Amino acid sequence: MTETRRGQRKHIFVTGGVVSSVGKGVAVAAIGRLLKSRGIRVSIQKLDPYFNVDPGTMSPYQHGEVFVTEDGAETDLDLGHYERFIDEHLTRESNVTAGQVFEHVIEKERRGDFLGGTVQMIPHVTGEIRERILRVGEASDAEVVIVEVGGTVGDIESQPFIESIRQLRRNLGRENVFYIHVTLLPHIASTGELKTKPTQHSVQELRRLGIQPDMIICRSDDEMPPELREKIALFCDVDEPAVIPLVTFSSIYEVPLYLEKIGVGAVLAQALRLAERTPDLAVWEEIVAHVNGEENRPLRVAVVGKYTQLPDAYLSVVEALRHACIAQRGRLDLKWVNAEDVEADGPEAHLNDARGIVVPGGFGPRGIEGKIAAARFAREKKIPYLGLCLGLQVAVIEFARAVMGAAANSTEFDPGTPLPVIDQMESQRGITQKGGTMRLGAYPCALEPGTLAAEAYGESLVHERHRHRWEVNDRYKDVLAEHGFRVSGVWPEGGLAEIMERTDHPFFLGSQFHPEFKSRPNRPHPLFAAFVQAAKRVHLEGDQEALPIGASDEMPAPPPELDPEGEEYPVPSGRFQG
């Protein structure tokens, strides 16, 4: 199919300026929600200029969470925002990196596809990028594709991507392409002013690369005076209604409602000649009303992790907890607990005020004994516990030590353990490649009738997303079950333990998969919903007074230097590196 015929589909390209982490991904997700609320089929794509093929081998301190799609792609965390806002499953086509692009172009050159020609940035690299952008719309049959370009304008590595989206307007037609630029309005404390000059310079750089933005979204923590909106419109040559002030909200779920109120949906519909449709945001308004409900009781949940200095490392976990609290008319009071602190001080020093404990995923031995201690504390004190991937594994190690002896461990942390209750999957043995080689993506899970898991889901077969190399060792499942820690969900094909739960506890459950990836603000994941419901019940029974707010308001300390041994990276243990 030629690009001219493809041109009937609309494309919105979103670039960033001034600084990174300005909220571009949330703005993109919110715009997707606005369009979908008008009955428009939407898909979203993220272009990442880094040379990694995907973020799977990056430390969480470098990149935050790795979001896994249904088809097993390790992708940028912004895809989590996209899925949660537009409520659609995205695929590996929705995250394109420079590493993927250059790898494919070089493969084609080696194969002889360009035989006789010189391979260049233009047209070969930009052509590959254009092709991947157009492929998303075809695969999803979307009417509108929103494409976020990672990084900021002016970054050397982003130039091929900027050039590619410039070419697409020429190829697809001006009426089918819309450019949005997201910038920061910095606040100067000494004068009390918001400054527009960085935005002007950012737009100037974008124009130098051949793109004139059709809309500018101006991020700030303070309200933008009307005269600044006029000034930006004049100096950046953008219609004033298309200069959008976007302040920081207490909840990201307020952003779609605000953008609709200020006219973003109307501007896009007119510019792209979309059919006039009345937006239906009633469900979203209800979500925001519950998020901000003053009557909601705070529920303190402790997240015991290894990467707590960078909360983005657990972004989907936190959002899934929020979704469950919204459904329960509660207010999440999140307490970040570093697993190494639990290891050093004991769980009582950090978890006594928690009404629920979550232990999320991770890799490597650092802080593991702290996570194990947190699982023991939750089991002994009857505090609702939800273990995610590694969180299930540490719960198994803890209980195995209680019933079989202190030597029980995972071969990830102790390759020579005589009681390997957690061991590497057979399919992973001997693998030396580190990227994209784990068990990834959606797999079926058959639920045992009469269990917590089956009651939470309300069905017998579910599909959940995985990202792991180690699993519960089959040899020890029976002895664990005899003592009250049973398998309640299995992978039908291989019989692997997918969910395990305690039979003598208000709520003690761990999953080998990552349920947080499929939670939605209007449809919380069943396991998170059941966990929060149990935590709320324990809270009301144990303490009629509302817990104090405060832990979630404290800024975490800066991340430590990475371990020189690289244990933060999801790679096989030394035993299996060949």
Side-chain angles (χ1 to χ4, degrees), residues 67-137:
F67 187 83
V68 178
T69 58
E70 287 283 289
D71 60 349
E74 294 176 289
T75 69
D76 185 83
L77 60 80
D78 277 328
L79 269 75
H81 287 312
Y82 305 161
E83 284 204 2
R84 287 186 284 271
F85 275 67
I86 67 172
D87 198 9
E88 300 281 351
H89 291 329
L90 301 178
T91 68
R92 64 182 63 251
E93 302 286 357
S94 284
N95 196 193
V96 176
T97 69
Q100 294 170 11
V101 170
F102 283 103
E103 181 181 54
H104 191 59
V105 170
I106 290 170
E107 284 175 356
K108 290 168 72 174
E109 188 275 332
R110 292 290 83 188
R111 209 166 50 229
D113 292 7
F114 307 121
L115 208 57
T118 302
V119 181
Q120 297 175 294
M121 194 69 73
I122 302 172
H124 302 102
V125 172
T126 55
E128 178 68 23
I129 294 169
R130 291 200 318 269
E131 183 64 30
R132 287 172 182 255
I133 291 171
L134 296 170
R135 202 182 299 163
V136 172

Side-chain angles (χ1 to χ4, degrees), residues 164-368:
S164 299
I165 68 173
R166 183 199 69 79
Q167 293 174 8
L168 278 170
R169 174 173 256 186
R170 178 177 177 274
N171 296 347
L172 301 178
R174 298 184 66 84
E175 71 280 3
N176 296 318
V177 171
F178 192 88
Y179 296 121
I180 299 176
H181 193 51
V182 183
T183 71
L184 176 71
L185 297 183
H187 179 265
I188 306 300
S190 60
T191 61
E193 294 177 292
L194 290 174
K195 306 302 287 185
T196 67
K197 193 63 71 176
T199 293
Q200 294 177 46
H201 284 305
S202 182
V203 171
Q204 185 179 51
E205 177 66 15
L206 190 62
R207 291 164 78 173
R208 189 183 69 79
L209 297 171
I211 293 176
Q212 166 62 45
D214 302 298
M215 176 182 288
I216 301 175
I217 296 178
C218 303
R219 285 281 293 110
S220 65
D221 291 329
D222 303 287
E223 295 287 343
M224 183 171 75
E227 60 269 20
L228 291 193
R229 195 176 185 187
E230 297 171 12
K231 183 177 181 180
I232 291 170
L234 175 64
F235 281 84
C236 297
D237 197 21
V238 174
D239 293 338
E240 192 175 323
V243 177
I244 308 299
L246 181 56
V247 297
T248 301
F249 289 96
S250 59
S251 167
I252 60 174
Y253 300 116
E254 297 180 63
V255 177
L257 300 182
Y258 171 80
L259 293 182
E260 178 61 36
K261 180 180 177 181
I262 206 168
V264 170
V267 170
L268 291 173
Q270 182 178 10
L272 293 172
R273 302 178 186 176
L274 301 171
E276 279 296 328
R277 299 172 186 170
T278 303
D280 181 4
L281 288 163
V283 172
W284 212 261
E285 289 169 351
E286 187 177 348
I287 290 167
V288 171
H290 291 315
V291 167
N292 294 332
E294 288 298 322
E295 73 284 357
N296 294 344
R297 292 177 65 92
L299 181 68
R300 176 158 290 183
V301 175
V303 174
V304 183
K306 300 170 52 153
Y307 316 115
T308 53
Q309 293 90 347
L310 183 67
D312 272 0
Y314 304 113
L315 183 59
S316 289
V317 174
V318 174
E319 292 307 312
L321 286 169
R322 287 203 175 105
H323 303 161
C325 283
I326 290 170
Q328 291 292 323
R329 304 298 185 265
R331 180 155 39 97
L332 177 63
D333 176 21
L334 185 63
K335 181 175 184 179
W336 292 107
V337 178
N338 191 300
E340 289 179 283
D341 292 339
V342 176
E343 202 170 287
D345 308 328
E348 294 82 1
H350 300 279
L351 299 173
N352 260 334
D353 58 349
R355 293 302 185 262
I357 296 171
V358 176
V359 176
F363 297 90
R366 183 175 64 82
I368 285 300

